[in-house]
Amino acid sequence: MYQDYEVVDVHGHMMSPPQFRAYAYGIVSNRNFGENRLRLKDDSIKEIVDHHVSLLDERNIDVQFISPRPVAMMHWERPPQVEMWTKTTNDVIAQQCASRPDRLFGVAQLPQSILLDTQNCVEELRRCIDELGFVGALMNTDPNGDGQTPGVDQPYWYPLYEAAESLKCVLILHPSLSRNPKLDRIPHSFQYNFLVEETLATLTYEYSDVFDRFPDLRIVVCHCGGSPNRLLRISDKPGGAKDSGLASGGSLNMPVEREVETVPDRSDNLFFDTCAYDIDYLRTVFRQRGAEQMIFGTEAPGAGTAFINPATDRPADDLVPLIDALGILTDDEKRAVFNGNVQRVFPIWRAIAAKR
Ligand SMILES: [Zn+2]
């Protein structure tokens, strides 16, 4: 709890027992699994969920939305394998949520493929929302990992947007792997692919007509929405975040008639999670995006679990104390980040939680 408010983390990934990973290996190697979906025993689910929840307890997280591990979604495989793996993954997420209905809520994997329009994702999204009680789905902007997927403003994505709008669920934009050979020898290379894909998506959403076409669509871009802005911009939202500093041409005597770029107001549709572990990075993102657009997300357990943050002397993904230490945020803004903004953006979660 934070000041008597539940801390809700929208960026969690499932932990998976060995049988689950073995099943994935079987799909890749055998390439023919028919209708044999994996069924895990409740005992094996309970063991792994208990461990997961203990890690949440250590980080003062009351509720977490859990999705697939993005690097394991295998969207680059052939559609039949992707479909089988996706259904299995979602079934296991549902099992985990049912094991701790007070703590865990599901976010779906989608059977995305560069070979298919996103229309093929609609049936599984509907199953996950209507039958499994999930709150949203992960959206991978580059399922083939080759940079060839149409941009997020293109008609390729419209069937998915339309379905998410009609189901009143949220799309959580979280990329996966890249097969760019330039990343081959970089440790944790997928993290840099996240940064690139999320930055491109955020900019595209800001400047395109996606939210004019789909006014009720809500997207949460993970990892703070990609890179903070290097260039100076002003939001056209009343009272919106303003970058400072472009007052004159300065000592270089550049022309001063160029105006600071104005960003269209997307504050009803576009949100960002707080999943960054460097306090200076987070401070910049909060200043640029605005606290009302930021939603608590940690990715715990994950990339930050094994590292101690010297700023807090806690694991890097223990973000409550880090955000609490951000002097630029008021108490009201902190409460909104940990709880209020999630309630606003995920009304579907409140409805599902009330039924449990
Ligand atoms: Zn993640």
Side-chain angles (χ1 to χ4, degrees):
M1 303 290 276
Y2 181 82
Q3 298 181 355
D4 296 330
Y5 285 79
E6 271 189 327
V7 173
V8 185
D9 177 358
V10 303
H11 188 160
H13 301 301
M14 66 190 299
M15 295 181 73
S16 52
Q19 309 95 300
F20 183 73
R21 295 191 291 276
Y23 180 83
Y25 178 75
I27 287 179
V28 173
S29 58
N30 297 348
R31 311 203 65 75
N32 180 12
F33 258 59
E35 278 301 309
N36 297 323
R37 302 247 285 271
L38 176 71
R39 306 284 176 203
L40 289 174
K41 292 202 169 101
D42 285 344
D43 283 357
S44 65
I45 290 286
K46 182 176 183 321
E47 188 179 339
I48 205 133
V49 167
D50 284 349
H51 181 48
H52 190 140
V53 169
S54 73
L55 293 168
L56 300 185
D57 288 340
E58 288 173 8
R59 287 157 181 74
N60 195 18
I61 295 168
D62 298 294
V63 170
Q64 190 179 57
F65 300 171
I66 57 168
S67 57
R69 299 219 80 89
V71 295
M73 292 193 292
M74 301 202 295
H75 285 151
W76 48 87
E77 287 289 337
R78 300 286 301 173
Q81 280 81 29
V82 175
E83 190 172 319
M84 178 57 63
W85 176 234
T86 296
K87 286 179 177 169
T88 298
T89 300
N90 289 331
D91 288 346
V92 172
I93 290 173
Q95 250 184 307
Q96 296 193 355
C97 294
S99 173
R100 286 305 301 264
D102 54 333
R103 304 295 295 273
L104 302 177
F105 290 79
V107 173
Q109 178 169 319
L110 297 173
Q112 288 185 243
S113 169
I114 188 71
L115 301 173
L116 302 170
D117 185 270
T118 57
Q119 181 65 44
N120 81 302
C121 298
V122 172
E123 185 182 338
E124 182 63 6
L125 178 62
R126 191 173 296 282
R127 180 179 85 95
C128 289
I129 303 299
D130 287 346
E131 296 177 29
L132 302 184
F134 287 10
V135 300
L138 280 199
M139 172 182 162
N140 175 9
T141 48
D142 189 19
N144 213 36
D146 60 2
Q148 298 304 304
T149 309
V152 294
D153 59 337
Q154 296 300 303
Y156 172 89
W157 297 99
Y158 289 178
L160 179 60
Y161 293 160
E162 198 174 291
E165 253 193 340
S166 75
L167 291 164
K168 299 182 172 37
C169 68
V170 179
L171 296 177
I172 298 181
L173 192 153
H174 194 312
S176 177
L177 297 175
S178 169
R179 295 191 287 178
N180 182 343
K182 290 178 185 172
L183 293 171
D184 279 352
R185 284 171 292 283
I186 296 176
H188 311 293
S189 61
F190 55 88
Q191 299 282 357
Y192 300 98
N193 186 54
F194 296 169
L195 187 72
V196 171
E197 287 292 322
E198 287 158 350
T199 304
L200 290 173
T202 295
L203 290 167
T204 305
Y205 284 129
E206 285 177 337
Y207 292 109
S208 70
D209 63 353
V210 168
F211 300 123
D212 302 320
R213 290 175 180 274
F214 302 96
D216 295 326
L217 178 65
R218 287 186 298 276
I219 306 268
V220 176
V221 185
C222 288
H223 311 109
C224 302
S227 167
N229 300 311
R230 186 176 65 84
L231 304 177
L232 296 165
R233 311 195 306 172
I234 293 176
S235 168
D236 72 355
K237 179 185 174 189
K242 290 179 174 51
D243 285 335
S244 59
L246 191 67
S248 74
S251 60
L252 294 178
N253 290 321
M254 298 286 282
V256 296
E257 64 269 19
R258 287 178 300 175
E259 294 181 350
V260 178
E261 189 179 358
T262 300
V263 184
D265 178 12
R266 307 297 186 198
S267 57
D268 289 335
N269 308 95
L270 188 59
F271 305 89
F272 312 97
D273 79 14
T274 63
C275 189
Y277 304 145
D278 181 294
I279 194 166
D280 295 318
Y281 192 102
L282 265 178
R283 186 181 294 111
T284 300
V285 169
F286 268 100
R287 186 174 64 77
Q288 292 189 352
R289 311 275 196 223
E292 65 276 19
Q293 301 310 116
M294 299 294 294
I295 300 180
F296 187 63
T298 68
E299 202 173 62
T305 303
F307 298 95
I308 298 296
N309 188 335
T312 58
D313 209 24
R314 298 282 307 150
D317 56 11
D318 186 357
L319 282 181
V320 174
L322 201 67
I323 292 169
D324 190 37
L326 278 175
I328 59 168
L329 299 179
T330 66
D331 274 2
D332 279 350
E333 287 173 332
K334 289 175 192 170
R335 284 191 291 270
V337 168
F338 292 130
N339 182 290
N341 291 348
V342 186
Q343 304 228 25
R344 179 163 55 94
V345 176
F346 289 81
I348 187 174
W349 165 59
R350 285 179 297 171
I352 293 166
K355 281 190 214 156
R356 285 188 177 178

